[in-house]
Amino acid sequence: MLAQRTLKSLTKAVGVGLHSGQRVELTLRPAPPDTGVVFRRVDLPDPVEIVVNATAVTDTRLASTISNGNVKVHTIEHLMSACAGLGLDNVYVDITAEEVPILDGSSASFVYLLQSAGIVMQKAPKRFIRVTKPVEVREGEGRNVKWARLDPFHGYKLAFEIEFDHPAVNSTGQRVEFDFGSGQYAREIARARTFGFTKDVEAMRSHGLALGGGLDNAIVMDDVKVLNADGLRYQDEFVKHKILDAMGDLYIVGKPLLAAYSAFRSGHAMNNQLLRALLARTDAWEIVSFEQDREAPQGFAQLAPAW
């Protein structure tokens, strides 16, 4: 049986929120089968749980935010991407503020934390959402068009294309494809950092955003070049970060997808619209599990390799 996975032990991290600049402690703990990913705001007088699912997303400006009533957790996509990349099904995320720490701006630190805690199999079948018919969301026309799409595929692969009119971005690859079955998430995707432009950062800070951002947790560009002294981690790091984000945004659906995702200029909002469009089309998906590991798509039965 292809089984669900959780952590072997708990693990902790301390950092600051990208937008809030607040100090935050994060504790990742094992969870029983069929729990999913559950955030717990333990800084409140009575801790509040927020179960991750597509309809829990209440804000997608600059990040993915989930809510339970008035209680929120911002910027969950990098941690969710790490959970997706490692095939982790069930985990409690205890958090002492309303934003997940940005750490180094990628998923690499979360991958390291999760692998340090250890990942164990559970006595319950791993359940997937298998896409059976194409689903697409689209906005704008001509030069302003952007779209995201899911197609049937026995496995999980992603293709993303960005379009930034900026010298530093134009000199890199703006389209990338990644097949989850390769087992190379930690090596090929997880280290890609979020990025921004100095002119935008100044505007965001005037509105109380990006208060925790800097050269140690983001790629920062002026009008012509990358300002980070160490340059880029991947030649196509910008578009790879969009793949990283998409994996996190899509894992918010609550189960791993069996599908081919493709997108052009998509973002957090459109990724969530795509999930909601999929769920609304009950004829376009089904829940499946695999009695034998060999029946599963390549790469899903193995634990992700360590660094």
Side-chain angles (χ1 to χ4, degrees), residues 184-229:
Q184 295 297 307
Y185 170 81
R187 185 181 300 275
E188 294 297 329
I189 301 295
R191 297 176 63 246
R193 294 161 293 176
T194 192
F195 58 92
F197 306 92
T198 50
K199 63 179 186 295
D200 295 334
V201 170
E202 290 159 9
M204 285 191 289
R205 285 183 174 165
S206 71
H207 289 88
L209 298 169
L211 300 179
L215 293 169
D216 58 343
N217 55 32
I219 304 168
V220 182
M221 291 166 281
D222 62 15
D223 291 340
V224 294
K225 64 183 182 300
V226 170
L227 300 180
N228 303 65

Side-chain angles (χ1 to χ4, degrees), residues 9-245:
S9 61
L10 66 77
T11 184
K12 296 185 178 185
V14 177
V16 298
L18 173 63
H19 295 299
S20 66
Q22 283 184 306
R23 182 184 184 275
V24 55
E25 295 179 18
L26 192 73
T27 302
L28 304 168
R29 297 190 293 111
D34 299 319
T35 299
V37 180
V38 179
F39 283 81
R40 299 176 70 247
R41 284 286 304 278
V42 297
D43 56 314
L44 303 175
D46 295 311
V48 174
E49 291 190 351
I50 310 175
V51 180
V52 173
N53 61 67
T55 57
V57 175
T58 53
D59 194 347
T60 50
R61 292 170 296 176
L62 304 177
S64 287
T65 295
I66 54 173
S67 303
N68 180 356
N70 294 323
V71 178
K72 304 179 186 299
V73 177
H74 303 284
T75 320
I76 71 168
E77 59 274 8
H78 297 171
L79 174 55
M80 291 301 297
S81 184
C83 291
L86 296 179
L88 189 64
D89 299 280
N90 306 302
V91 60
Y92 286 119
V93 183
D94 293 352
I95 189 168
T96 63
E98 65 175 20
E99 188 175 15
V100 175
I102 189 62
L103 302 181
D104 77 337
S106 74
S107 289
S109 296
F110 294 117
V111 168
Y112 177 79
L113 280 169
L114 294 168
Q115 289 187 324
S116 297
I119 297 174
V120 294
M121 302 296 187
Q122 298 176 287
K123 294 181 179 179
K126 189 180 186 78
R127 295 182 176 89
F128 297 83
I129 294 178
R130 178 159 62 193
V131 173
T132 58
K133 294 182 180 178
V135 177
E136 181 176 290
V137 291
R138 182 177 289 262
E139 286 180 15
E141 296 189 13
R143 292 184 60 84
N144 295 318
V145 72
K146 54 184 178 179
W147 53 266
R149 178 182 174 97
L150 290 169
D151 285 289
F153 177 67
H154 186 61
Y156 187 38
K157 63 181 180 180
L158 305 97
F160 205 109
E161 184 174 358
I162 56 176
E163 189 178 64
F164 285 94
D165 186 17
H166 187 281
V169 185
N170 291 345
S171 65
T172 73
Q174 297 206 43
R175 186 180 189 281
V176 73
E177 294 187 16
F178 174 69
D179 191 330
F180 180 81
S182 69
Q184 295 297 307
Y185 170 81
R187 185 181 300 275
E188 294 297 329
I189 301 295
R191 297 176 63 246
R193 294 161 293 176
T194 192
F195 58 92
F197 306 92
T198 50
K199 63 179 186 295
D200 295 334
V201 170
E202 290 159 9
M204 285 191 289
R205 285 183 174 165
S206 71
H207 289 88
L209 298 169
L211 300 179
L215 293 169
D216 58 343
N217 55 32
I219 304 168
V220 182
M221 291 166 281
D222 62 15
D223 291 340
V224 294
K225 64 183 182 300
V226 170
L227 300 180
N228 303 65
D230 56 349
L232 299 179
R233 293 176 174 177
Y234 305 109
Q235 193 275 331
D236 47 3
E237 187 169 0
F238 301 106
V239 67
K240 279 190 171 179
H241 185 77
K242 290 295 188 177
I243 290 273
L244 184 157
D245 273 351

Side-chain angles (χ1 to χ4, degrees), residues 2 5 126 128 155-156 180-181 256-258 296-302:
L2 186 58
R5 300 170 187 176
K126 189 180 186 78
F128 297 83
Y156 187 38
F180 180 81
L257 290 169
L258 295 178
Q298 183 178 357
F300 281 80
Q302 296 79 28

